[in-house]
C-alpha cells in the first residue's frame, strides 16, 4: 500500500489532516464542520470511554442523560455562560417539513410549524442540568450530586479540523452539586487529577496541570483547572478542563438546599469534560511520518501477525503455529489480528499496519518455522528483532508495557526540552518563533497585558501551573511585579 | 417510605407514569417532550447497551459515529423515507444568537446568521450514512459494511410518554451494505433474531417474530422484520425492528460497486434499531403494584442487604457478617448493596427497594446471627424464606437465575393466554374489548381492510408471524380469501 503521507517537517498541519483520513480514523462529512468517526477511530474512542467511565465510577459518579435541546429562556438564565456560547449556537426554530408546492419531490420548512420558543442545540449542558437539579435537591441529604453524561454537543465553529475543532463533537460532561464551597473546589481538583492520570498513564501524553487565567476561563465558572499537553510542532493543546462554578448556576436556576441546621443556602457546583479532541492529541503526540503510533493501551489491534509464504502448504504450516500463538495471546487479553489476506503482499500489509499504528508486528515465514523463531517489529522505534518462540507470549506482553512506557518517556522528554524560561519580551518572541513549546514567563496578572501579547504573538497563557514556585519577578511585557511564572504557548 | 402508587387495575397508564418517576428511572424535562434519564434508569440502559454491543460485535459489526444533522437536500434524496419522517423533523435554521436590543440580558436568534440550507436533526440516519457509504464502497471487496451507531435521534411527537414516545430518544442503529439481495435479507433476519434473543433471554420478555405489513413498514424499506411484545394491559409493544432496504438508499445516493466480474451494481442495504423504548417494555412487562420488578440480568443492584438492629453494638456485629458476605458476592460478580443508612428504618428501606425492583433482599438481625441464618425475600413473588448462612452465596446465585427464568415464564404464560384465535369481526371486537392481547385472525391482505379495522377498533396488524402455519381462511372483515392468520392488537 502506498502511503504518500506528507511529512511533519514539510507541513505538520497537512500531515495531521492526511493521517487522520488515511489511517481511517475520521473524515469530513457532507454536513459542514461535522465529521464521521470511522470504525477504526471509533474503536480507539471506545477504549478511552471505557477507561474514563471506569475512573468516574470509581470516584463515585453515576451516568445519566439530559436533553439535547435547551429552550432559549433556560439557556440565557446564566448570563455569562449564555454570552460565552451565544455566537456558536445551532438553533432549532421549526418542527416540521412539508412538500414544497413549487418543487415536486422536494421538502420545505413548514412555516406553520414554528416553535413558540427557539431551542438551542446544547453547546454544553449546565443550563438544562441545573434546571433539573432544582427538582433533585431539597436538603443537605441530597448532596453531593455526582453525575456524568456521555453526549454529543454542537458549537458552530467557522474553521473546523477533524477531532480538534468540529461543529459537533462527542464528549463526557460531569456536573456535580455540593453543600460547601470547599467540597466543590476539591471535586474540581480531583477530576483534573483524574484527567491527568488518564491522559498520562493511558494515553502516554504528559500534561501540565494548572489554572486558567480569567480570560481563558469557562464562561460561567469562577475557576477553570486544565491539563495542557504539547504537540510535536511545539503547539499546546488543552486536553481537559474542570470548572469550579461557585454558586453561579445555583443562583441562576434557584437551586437551594436546607442545611443540617435548617438554613436555606445555594448549592456549589462543578463541571468537567474531555472530548473527541483527545483523539487529535493522541495522533499529534506520538505519530510519525510513516503514520499512526498508538500506545498499546489504546490500540484496537495490539499485535498483528503477517505470514510470509510462497505456497499454500507453507501458509498452512504457518497458520497452525499462529493459531496456537493467538490462543495464548487471547488468554492474556492481548488483542491480536492474523492478517492472512491472500489478496495482498507482505510489504503492503507491513505498510498498512504501520500507517494504522499497530504497536507490534510479528512476521513469520518458513525459515522461522525451521528455526523456531518469529520476527518481531516495534512500531514506535521501527526496530526489528528475531525472538525465539519459547516464551514469545510473555516477551510480547512485556514489550507492550515497555512501548507504553517508552512513548510516555519520549513525549515527556520532548515536553521537558520545550519548556523554556524567558525573561524578556525579545527572548519570548525569539523562542516562540524558533523553538516553540511552552514559554515560562513572568506576567503582571492583567487581562490587558495577556491580550496585547496574544495580539502581537498569537501566544496565549495556557495555564498558571499548580506546581509553580513562588518567585518574584518582572512581567516580560510591562515590567510590573509578578509573583511567579505562567506558561505561554501557541495553541490548538 | 410511602409509595402511594396508583394500582394497575385502577389506571394502568397512570401506574406506569408514576412508577417511572417514583422509581427514579426518568422524568420529564423543561424541554417539551424530552426526558431526563436518571442515574438508576440509565444504569439499566447501560446494562442493555453493554449486552447488545457485545452481541453486535460477536456478529461482526463495528461501531462508528455519523453527524447529528442532515442537510435538507440530503434528507429528501430517498423520497419515501423523507416523506415518512417529514412531519416530525426538528429543523435548525440559524447558527448564532445575539443580544436582544429590546430586552437587556436576553438573547435572540441573529437574523444575519441564517443557514443557506436547513439542517434536519436526524430522526434516523439512513440518509447521512448512505451518503457516506458512497465514498466507502468501490468494489465487492469493500462489502459487506457492517456498522452500528449508538446515538440520540429526534422525532417531534405531539403526545409523548416517558421512554415509550419521546421527542428525543437514545438508540442504536445498525446500517449494513451488501453485495447481494440474499445476503442483505439474511442480515436483516439475523439481527431480528439477535434482538429476540436479547429481549427474551436478557430482558425476560417473550416476543413474537414477524413481518410488518406494507402499511406498518419503515419508510424506505422493502420489508420490515419486527419483534412484538405484550404488556400486562393487553397492549402490544414493538420492541425492535430490522429493515431490508433493498437498493432504495443505494439508488438514492448512487452507491454502486464493481462485482468480481467487473460489472457496476447497486449495493443492497439493511438497517435495524432498538431504543430506550425497551425501558418502557421492561417496566410494563414485569412490574407490579408495589413497584418495579427487575430481571436480575438488568438490575443495577441484584441483592440488597438490610440490617435489623436496636443498638450500635448489634449493627457492628451484623456489619462484620455482612462484610464477609459481600466479599463472596462480589467474587461471583453479584452486585450487592448494604443499606446501612442510619437515617431510615428497615420498613422504609424494604419499601424503597421493593419500589426500585431489587430482585433479592436479605434481612439480618440479632436472631439471625444467633441462629446462623438470613431472611431472604424475592421481589418477584414477594415470598420470604429463612436460609442458613452455610451455602447462602450459592443459594442466592442460583436464586437469581431462577428469578430470571421465572419472570420469563410468567410473562410467557401471560402472552400465551392472550393470543386468541378469532374467526369473525364480532368475535374480534368482543375479545379486543374484554380481554385484549394478540388477536390471531385471517385478513385479506389489503391495506384498505387493515385501515378500516384500525379506524373501527384502534387495533393494528402487529405482524405476520414468521412461524405462522399455512391455513386457508376468510378475512374476518371482508370474507375474502386469506392464506394464514396475522396478529392484531392495540399497541403502544
Amino acid at each position: 500500500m502506498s502511503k504518500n503521507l506528507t511529512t511533519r517537517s514539510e507541513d505538520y498541519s497537512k500531515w495531521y489532516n492526511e493521517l487522520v483520513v488515511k489511517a481511517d480514523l475520521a473524515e469530513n462529512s457532507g454536513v459542514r464542520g461535522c465529521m464521521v468517526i470511522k470504525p477504526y477511530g471509533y474503536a480507539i474512542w471506545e477504549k478511552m470511554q471505557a477507561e474514563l467511565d471506569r475512573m468516574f465510577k470509581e470516584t463515585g459518579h453515576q451516568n445519566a442523560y439530559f436533553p439535547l435541546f435547551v429552550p432559549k429562556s433556560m439557556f440565557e438564565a446564566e448570563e455569562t455562560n449564555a454570552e460565552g456560547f451565544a455566537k456558536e449556537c445551532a438553533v432549532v426554530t421549526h418542527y416540521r417539513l412539508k412538500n414544497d408546492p413549487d418543487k415536486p419531490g422536494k421538502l420545505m420548512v413548514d412555516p406553520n410549524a414554528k416553535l413558540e420558543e427557539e431551542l438551542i442545540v446544547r453547546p454544553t449542558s449546565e443550563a438544562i442540568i441545573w434546571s433539573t437539579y432544582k427538582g433533585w435537591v431539597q436538603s443537605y441529604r441530597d448532596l453531593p450530586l455526582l453525575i456524568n453524561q456521555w453526549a454529543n454537543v454542537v458549537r458552530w465553529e467557522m474553521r473546523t479540523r477533524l477531532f480538534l475543532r468540529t461543529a459537533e463533537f462527542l464528549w463526557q460532561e460531569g456536573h456535580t452539586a455540593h453543600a460547601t464551597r470547599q467540597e466543590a473546589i476539591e471535586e474540581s481538583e480531583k477530576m483534573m487529577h483524574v484527567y491527568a492520570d488518564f491522559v498520562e498513564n493511558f494515553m502516554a501524553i504528559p500534561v501540565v496541570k494548572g489554572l486558567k487565567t480569567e480570560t481563558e476561563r469557562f464562561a460561567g465558572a469562577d475557576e477553570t483547572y486544565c491539563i495542557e499537553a504539547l504537540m510535536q510542532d511545539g503547539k499546546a493543546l488543552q486536553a481537559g478542563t474542570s470548572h469550579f462554578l461557585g454558586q453561579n448556576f445555583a443562583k441562576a436556576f434557584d437551586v437551594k438546599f436546607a442545611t443540617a441546621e435548617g438554613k436555606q443556602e445555594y448549592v456549589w457546583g462543578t463541571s468537567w469534560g474531555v472530548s473527541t479532541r483527545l483523539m487529535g492529541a493522541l495522533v499529534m503526540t506520538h505519530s510519525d511520518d510513516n503514520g499512526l503510533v498508538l500506545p498499546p493501551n489504546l490500540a484496537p489491534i495490539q499485535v498483528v501477525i503477517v505470514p510470509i509464504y510462497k505456497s499454500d502448504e507453507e501458509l498452512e504450516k504457518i497458520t497452525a503455529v499462529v493459531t496456537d500463538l493467538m490462543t495464548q495471546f487471547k488468554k492474556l487479553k492481548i488483542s491480536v489480528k492474523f492478517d492472512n489476506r491472500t489478496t495482498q503482499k507482505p510489504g503492503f500489509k507491513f505498510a498498512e499496519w504501520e500507517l494504522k499504528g499497530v504497536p507490534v508486528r510479528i512476521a513469520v515465514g518458513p525459515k522461522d518455522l525451521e528455526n523456531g523463531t518469529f520476527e518481531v517489529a516495534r512500531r514506535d522505534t521501527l526496530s526489528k528483532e528475531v525472538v525465539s518462540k519459547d516464551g514469545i507470549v510473555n516477551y510480547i506482553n512485556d514489550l507492550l508495557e515497555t512501548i507504553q512506557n517508552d512513548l510516555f518517556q519520549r513525549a515527556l522528554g520532548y515536553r521537558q526540552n520545550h519548556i523554556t524560561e524567558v525573561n524578556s519580551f525579545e527572548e519570548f518572541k525569539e523562542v516562540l518563533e524558533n523553538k516553540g513549546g511552552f514559554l515560562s514567563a513572568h506576567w503582571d496578572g492583567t487581562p490587558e497585558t495577556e491580550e496585547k501579547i496574544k495580539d502581537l504573538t498569537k501566544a496565549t497563557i495556557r495555564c498558571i501551573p499548580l506546581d509553580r514556585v513562588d518567585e518574584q519577578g518582572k512581567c516580560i511585557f510591562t515590567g510590573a511585579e509578578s509573583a511567579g511564572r505562567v506558561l505561554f504557548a501557541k495553541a490548538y
Side-chain angles (χ1 to χ4, degrees), chain A:
Chain A
M1 92 170 293
S2 158
K3 287 184 288 197
N4 289 326
L5 197 60
T6 299
T7 63
R8 287 165 295 175
S9 59
E10 278 175 320
D11 186 337
Y12 189 83
S13 177
K14 202 170 165 206
W15 163 80
Y16 172 81
N17 293 340
E18 283 180 14
L19 180 51
V20 168
V21 173
K22 292 197 178 189
D24 277 337
L25 299 182
E27 65 184 36
N28 285 304
S29 75
V31 190
R32 210 197 76 41
C34 294
M35 66 180 159
V36 171
I37 307 179
K38 300 182 77 174
Y40 194 64
Y42 200 84
I44 298 172
W45 175 241
E46 283 183 307
K47 287 187 170 253
M48 293 190 194
Q49 282 189 301
E51 179 67 6
L52 282 168
D53 200 69
R54 192 189 63 70
M55 295 174 91
F56 297 156
K57 284 175 177 157
E58 221 164 59
T59 44
H61 303 86
Q62 294 181 295
N63 289 329
Y65 188 77
F66 298 85
L68 170 67
F69 299 132
V70 190
K72 189 174 74 65
S73 58
M74 192 189 282
F75 180 74
E76 66 201 3
E78 208 297 316
E79 288 189 32
T80 315
N81 185 252
E83 283 225 359
F85 287 99
K87 289 199 180 111
E88 47 193 54
C89 284
V91 188
V92 175
T93 56
H94 292 75
Y95 58 85
R96 194 163 64 214
L97 297 171
K98 62 170 205 167
N99 290 319
D100 188 333
D102 299 331
K103 298 178 192 157
K106 303 288 175 189
L107 297 167
M108 59 179 282
V109 173
D110 185 342
N112 293 323
K114 192 166 190 299
L115 289 169
E116 275 179 45
E117 179 177 12
E118 296 89 348
L119 297 175
I120 315 304
V121 182
R122 61 181 166 215
T124 180
S125 299
E126 279 77 8
I128 183 78
I129 289 179
W130 280 88
S131 82
T132 308
Y133 281 0
K134 183 175 168 57
W136 292 4
V137 178
Q138 274 85 43
S139 112
Y140 70 97
R141 285 187 209 89
D142 303 320
L143 297 171
L145 278 176
L146 302 174
I147 295 200
N148 176 62
Q149 157 169 284
W150 291 96
N152 54 345
V153 287
V154 171
R155 296 178 185 176
W156 205 262
E157 304 275 1
M158 280 304 156
R159 273 174 297 278
T160 60
R161 287 186 74 189
L162 291 170
F163 290 125
L164 297 172
R165 199 169 289 277
T166 47
E168 181 194 14
F169 57 87
L170 303 183
W171 79 345
Q172 61 65 219
E173 45 182 328
H175 295 270
T176 70
H178 307 264
T180 68
R181 178 189 163 86
Q182 186 53 31
E183 195 185 296
I185 289 176
E186 279 165 16
E187 167 78 7
S188 23
E189 288 177 353
K190 180 199 281 174
M191 298 322 290
M192 172 197 62
H193 291 302
V194 165
Y195 286 154
D197 179 6
F198 169 76
V199 173
E200 297 204 324
N201 298 320
F202 208 73
M203 300 184 66
I205 302 175
V207 294
V208 177
K209 301 174 193 173
L211 273 172
K212 287 288 182 192
T213 61
E214 198 189 328
T215 313
E216 300 281 333
R217 203 176 279 160
F218 178 73
D222 280 359
E223 206 71 89
T224 288
Y225 296 86
C226 64
I227 53 170
E228 294 282 327
L230 194 63
M231 305 296 101
Q232 292 178 69
D233 62 346
K235 282 169 78 175
L237 185 144
Q238 175 181 299
T241 48
S242 180
H243 316 294
F244 167 58
L245 303 174
Q247 295 175 315
N248 301 333
F249 286 90
K251 286 179 179 166
F253 292 95
D254 193 33
V255 186
K256 287 183 189 162
F257 72 102
T259 65
E261 297 76 36
K263 280 202 324 191
Q264 286 287 312
E265 282 182 14
Y266 286 111
V267 166
W268 299 85
T270 86
S271 66
W272 29 273
V274 296
S275 73
T276 37
R277 194 160 210 247
L278 286 177
M279 293 287 296
L282 180 72
V283 173
M284 287 203 296
T285 300
H286 302 302
S287 300
D288 63 24
D289 295 344
N290 295 306
L292 282 187
V293 175
L294 293 176
N297 283 346
L298 284 171
I301 302 166
Q302 295 174 308
V303 177
V304 65
I305 305 176
V306 177
I308 319 282
Y309 60 95
K310 291 205 176 108
S311 66
D312 286 356
E313 202 196 332
E314 280 178 8
L315 177 59
E316 230 167 80
K317 282 184 192 159
I318 292 171
T319 302
V321 172
V322 168
T323 305
D324 174 51
L325 190 60
M326 298 209 359
T327 311
Q328 297 180 59
F329 279 137
K330 280 172 192 168
K331 269 191 203 144
L332 291 179
K333 309 223 166 171
I334 294 171
S335 94
V336 55
K337 184 184 177 74
F338 181 33
D339 185 358
N340 58 358
R341 284 177 291 177
T342 52
T343 46
Q344 310 293 357
K345 297 242 162 77
F348 178 97
K349 294 177 182 178
F350 285 14
E352 179 172 344
W353 299 118
E354 229 167 71
L355 177 62
K356 291 200 157 184
V358 174
V360 172
R361 181 187 72 220
I362 297 177
V364 49
K367 271 263 169 65
D368 295 301
L369 291 190
E370 267 171 44
N371 303 336
T373 58
F374 296 102
E375 186 196 81
V376 175
R378 279 175 69 156
R379 174 61 187 91
D380 60 332
T381 56
L382 296 171
S383 58
K384 284 190 247 184
E385 227 175 331
V386 173
V387 177
S388 160
K389 77 179 223 187
D390 304 327
I392 176 90
V393 174
N394 286 330
Y395 176 86
I396 298 287
N397 200 30
D398 293 346
L399 182 60
L400 290 170
E401 207 177 308
T402 302
I403 294 172
Q404 179 78 26
N405 292 334
D406 286 1
L407 285 175
F408 179 75
Q409 289 303 330
R410 195 178 65 170
L412 183 63
Y414 175 84
R415 207 273 308 275
Q416 280 168 340
N417 283 330
H418 286 80
I419 302 190
T420 311
E421 286 201 356
V422 295
N423 295 305
S424 72
F425 193 53
E426 281 316 300
E427 206 187 341
F428 182 100
K429 286 187 290 189
E430 198 271 325
V431 174
L432 188 67
E433 180 74 11
N434 298 316
K435 187 180 177 190
F438 289 118
L439 308 189
S440 178
H442 280 286
W443 161 63
D444 64 15
T446 69
E448 294 72 30
T449 301
E450 191 179 0
E451 204 185 331
K452 278 178 198 153
I453 294 175
K454 182 180 176 184
D455 287 347
L456 291 167
T457 66
K458 290 187 181 148
T460 50
I461 300 177
R462 302 317 304 153
C463 70
I464 305 159
L466 290 191
D467 62 357
R468 79 163 170 181
V469 289
D470 289 338
E471 180 196 89
Q472 283 301 316
K474 306 274 184 199
C475 172
I476 51 150
F477 195 73
T478 62
E481 288 298 319
S482 148
R485 293 171 182 272
V486 298
L487 292 183
F488 286 85
K490 289 188 191 169
Y492 280 95

